[in-house]
Amino acid sequence: MSDTQRQQLAARFREFLPDENVIDQKTSLATYECDGLSAYREQPLLVLLPENIAHVQQIMRLCHEQRLPVVSRGAGTSLSGGALPHAEGVVLSLAKMKRILQVDELARTAVVEPGVRNLAISEAVKEKGLYYAPDPSSQIACSIGGNVAENAGGVHCLKYGLTLHNILALKVVGADGEIFEIDQRSLHTDGYDLMPLLVGSEGMLGIVVEVTVKLLPIPRCARVVMAVFDSVEKAGDSVAAIIAEGIIPAGIEMMDNPAIRAAEDFVHANYPVEAEAILICELDGTEEEVSAQIELVEQVLRAGGAVETRLAKDETERLLFWSGRKAAFPAVGRISPDYYCIDGTIPRKSLAAVLAEVRQLSEQYGLPVANVFHAGDGNLHPLILYDANKEGELEKTEQLGSKILQLCIHHGGTITGEHGVGVEKLGEMCIQFSDAERNQFHALRECFDPLKILNPGKAIPTLARCAEHNAMHVHGGELPFPELERF
Amino acid sequence: MPIELADVSIEDELRAQIGAVAASGGEIEIIGGGSKRFYGESIEALPVDVSAHSGIIDYDPAELVITLRAGCKLAQVEALLAEQRQMFGFEPPCFGEDATIGGTVATGLAGPRRAYAGSIRDFVLGVKLLDGRGQVLQFGGRVIKNVAGFDVSRLMVGALGTLGIILEVSIRVVPQLETEITLAYEHASADEHIRWVNRLGSKPYPISASLWYDGRSLLRLSGSEQGVRQASAQLGGEEIESGWLDVKEQRLDFFDRAEPLSRISLPPTTPDLLPGRSQLIEWGGARRWLCGEADVDAVRDQVAGAGGSLCAFQRHAPDVPRFHPLAPTMLTLQRNLKASFDPARIFNPGKLYPGL
Ligand SMILES: Cc1cc2nc3c(=O)[nH]c(=O)nc-3n(C[C@H](O)[C@H](O)[C@H](O)COP(=O)(O)OP(=O)(O)OC[C@H]3O[C@@H](n4cnc5c(N)ncnc54)[C@H](O)[C@@H]3O)c2cc1C
């Protein structure tokens, strides 16, 4: 599109949006050219900043009429390129829609606009003794709309669920500008349950313009124990042993040696830098309950071969133990020019095997890998350390990442636990799903968006792309891991 | 004696049968154990019994996930989980010993724990499905966190078999809780109960069920011995025998009557809309059973105004639509969804809504 055409288009949007809410200058557009996956960049035609639902509807009507691709954007922290702009389309940023509209203390719900930051919800209701449970590590920055679009998880989701489990109602503007609502405040819907389709749909089924979240009472007491291991295997087995005791920890996280070292160097959480693995396990509930359970957990950890267990003596130390884990990504960012975060899920029992294979691959590719792991739910985040300025190193990193994800599929897991497919994992989608299954995804999308203007090119690869991808990756006439059941 | 489930796959037969039905333009009614066949519109189509498709595909208690063929009997699976001190978190009703896992998923019905632990939708992790083209498709998986592709597996919950035959399903399971007690309180009116039970919800008590009927509120506490004892000391009330199995299976006197039974779903804090009528209230106020003749259309309007819905659950006149009417645009969307899985409308046509 020529600059004149772009100006003309901007003028159409300025008919109903304040001038400054339509960004058309190249220098300002640059701010939006990537999300958290900065290896992919693209300039959109325009960035639009609606301030209310009516604006979003007007934008969508015009884009529908013009068949313009629309990429929604919350805070732009996606790690899979979900919010990467489309060169021939607009970015619809929800950043100005960030009001908390209503808090209902008796019903324990909050109605919020999509641009509200995840943490802002808990902060707003804290004095009522309530909080919003899903806590992605990016919670200071990421938006609730983005959380819904990615079905974001956090360190507490083993016990308290993912975004899906903590959302009661959505108001959505469809591709044609019409509003539809999914209201499950009554804990039931007759007809098809569209909530799980919308949650995790990566901006491809509609624009989320209002979210009703569930609030939970803040537990009376939370305590953390850190266990130190001389092998990742023992740490992994200890997680299974805790669960076998019938305990569901509020959070249970694992870090391997490279991740421990990076985190310790960064936040000085008093982590044991010689350890092969640490587990951080949090229990919550009433004081009596937590004291009894934490004693049991310490016993299980020691019986499982922990060389040491440390109980956080107070709230300050509890937060200190967590600080290292929560800062793991930036900590790794400090020790390497660049890092690439992988997001596969595996059955927990495969942990030791998968980590050993990851180590082998890491050596083979000559790229160090640090591992952080949502150990309770099998969600693995290997962080590949690389230098984008070195010729070919990003490509090598992407190949290693793809190999790790294939490993996850091979062990009965999945290519993304919480970060989404975006543009990043389109190739792996060709491996995890058959043509018929991907066709079903496309058909579902077309029920909501027949013109395919919502976030085109993301999340679900076309059949042509997969044909090409699988042709490249077929060895000796067979797909990788032909023996594997893709369930 | 260890529980043994039949291990039989009829996937190939079903596939062949669906292929033939699709080719001849036929329609089928999918039958599992038949225990919940009453749920939904009655339809006339060739009954196809899928309950022989049974067996455990995978169950490792430490992974907190079980993968089953859909014909497995619910009661047997629950017994099997109990051997490992585990259970389904959503407390599904059986309504008869033949109830299958497939029917449990397709109806999406849940028991008293639902308001406090989540619905079956929240626990489903993956399905293997036979669609209307005779294709076998798999969505989701056997792991707790998975966002690859649209979440089709959970769409099957409550779809009443209209999107395909569920062949296998993976469900997250939870540990059994150590202790459970039931406390009783006098609350003359439904409104008193609704306010009380919602106020309790904002405190971290280990509540796992609540009920109001005939001037009395019941509360179930489940959790660790310490947690439950401590909460019950704070909550007071009279400790009574547990009767929750009868609530779940609808064997209380309230349900055992000749009159129509309606299920009203409302945002839990909604004040009583039907004072003076015979109601039983569960789920912290969100589920209100109404027993007796009712002008369904009028009650539906009233309930819809408050953000809820009414299902004509049992014993209503045949011309009363079972499920709450959908807005026209929503019905169109849902018809399109149906067509994307089952273009020839083979499976349970009309069981949920006309055109689905
Ligand atoms: C340091 C770091 C740590 C992280 N930790 C976690 C973690 O622990 N757990 C986790 O799950 N994720 C994590 N993430 C990933 C990311 O924060 C989440 O995916 C988050 O949900 C994205 O929210 P956002 O507002 O930034 O969305 P964006 O990045 O702006 O967008 C993400 C996707 O959502 C769509 N979208 C955004 N808003 C809307 C809307 N209103 N309607 C429809 N579609 C919309 C976009 O089109 C895009 O496809 C982390 C990221 C970083 C950078």
Side-chain angles (χ1 to χ4, degrees), chain A residues 35-36 71-79 81-83 94 114 135-138 141-155 202-204 206-209 325 329-330 339 374 381 418-419 455 458:
Chain A
D35 58 20
V71 178
S72 316
R73 182 183 175 102
T77 66
S78 162
L79 291 173
L94 285 310
D135 57 342
S137 307
S138 51
C142 64
S143 74
I144 190 73
N147 289 173
V148 169
E150 300 284 12
N151 194 13
V155 298
E202 302 195 26
M204 295 178 74
I207 318 289
V208 176
V209 291
R325 168 60 188 89
F329 292 7
Y339 71 94
H374 300 299
H381 290 320
E418 58 183 13
H419 294 168
N455 220 359
K458 309 284 175 64

Side-chain angles (χ1 to χ4, degrees), chain B residues 28 36 38 41 45 61 71 75 87 98 106 124 138 145-146 150 178 180 187 224 228 230 237 257 300 310 338 354:
Chain B
I28 67 158
K36 301 175 184 76
F38 70 86
E41 305 292 347
M87 62 180 188
D98 290 332
V124 164
Q138 303 194 37
K145 272 163 97 177
N146 185 357
F150 299 131
E178 202 180 10
E180 191 167 289
H187 287 128
S224 69
V228 167
Q230 207 181 357
R257 284 190 265 168
R300 277 193 167 139
L310 181 149
K338 158 84 173 175

Side-chain angles (χ1 to χ4, degrees), chain A residues 131-327:
Chain A
Y131 76 115
Y132 174 66
D135 57 342
S137 307
S138 51
Q139 70 183 145
I140 313 172
C142 64
S143 74
I144 190 73
N147 289 173
V148 169
E150 300 284 12
N151 194 13
V155 298
H156 288 96
C157 68
L158 178 68
K159 183 164 178 184
Y160 295 104
L162 304 162
T163 303
L164 174 73
H165 305 109
N166 289 279
I167 296 293
L168 290 168
L170 291 180
K171 197 176 273 183
V172 184
V173 173
D176 57 0
E178 294 308 306
I179 292 178
F180 63 91
E181 288 184 62
I182 305 171
D183 184 353
Q184 304 186 338
R185 289 172 303 156
S186 69
L187 309 183
H188 177 82
T189 14
D190 281 349
Y192 297 143
D193 186 347
L194 303 184
M195 192 66 101
L197 275 189
L198 262 294
V199 175
S201 62
E202 302 195 26
M204 295 178 74
L205 302 182
I207 318 289
V208 176
V209 291
E210 200 176 283
V211 186
T212 304
V213 302
K214 196 195 283 186
L215 303 172
L216 298 181
I218 298 173
R220 285 184 220 272
C221 164
R223 298 196 68 184
V224 163
V225 58
M226 173 162 66
V228 182
F229 291 89
D230 56 13
S231 86
V232 287
E233 195 156 8
K234 286 181 196 164
D237 290 346
S238 295
V239 177
I242 291 171
I243 286 167
E245 284 297 327
I247 294 173
I248 300 289
I252 183 158
E253 295 286 315
M254 188 194 289
M255 294 165 77
D256 74 353
N257 181 274
I260 297 169
R261 283 178 185 273
E264 179 55 23
D265 213 42
F266 183 30
V267 297
H268 309 295
N270 211 1
Y271 286 176
V273 291
E274 299 300 323
E276 279 306 309
I278 57 169
L279 277 181
I280 302 171
C281 178
E282 177 161 299
L283 298 166
D284 66 11
T286 65
E287 264 120 48
E288 285 77 357
E289 200 173 17
V290 172
S291 321
Q293 285 193 349
I294 206 128
E295 216 168 282
L296 181 58
V297 166
E298 277 196 274
Q299 278 169 21
V300 173
L301 289 167
R302 277 197 231 102
V307 290
E308 189 192 344
T309 59
R310 296 183 199 164
L311 194 58
K313 58 181 184 301
D314 52 24
E315 186 62 10
T316 318
E317 197 172 22
R318 181 179 82 87
L319 296 175
L320 184 68
F321 282 6
W322 273 124
S323 68
R325 168 60 188 89
K326 291 228 171 187

Side-chain angles (χ1 to χ4, degrees), chain A residues 108 158 165 184-185 188 190 192-193 196 286 288-289 292 345 348-349 379 414 416 418 437 440 487, chain B residues 62-63 121-122 127 138 145-147 151 162-163 170 172 198 201 224 226 230 263 268 324 334 340 353:
Chain A
R108 287 148 282 129
L158 178 68
H165 305 109
Q184 304 186 338
R185 289 172 303 156
H188 177 82
D190 281 349
Y192 297 143
D193 186 347
T286 65
E288 285 77 357
E289 200 173 17
T345 305
R348 230 183 307 95
K349 61 182 166 221
N379 191 191
T414 177
T416 172
E418 58 183 13
E437 288 152 3
Q440 182 59 55
F487 195 58
Chain B
E63 298 288 330
R121 178 206 77 191
D122 294 333
V127 294
Q138 303 194 37
K145 272 163 97 177
N146 185 357
V147 291
D151 195 346
T162 56
L163 301 175
S170 293
R172 183 176 171 181
N198 278 289
S224 69
Q226 298 86 352
Q230 207 181 357
R263 180 187 67 199
H324 203 90
Q334 300 209 2
S340 76
Y353 287 104

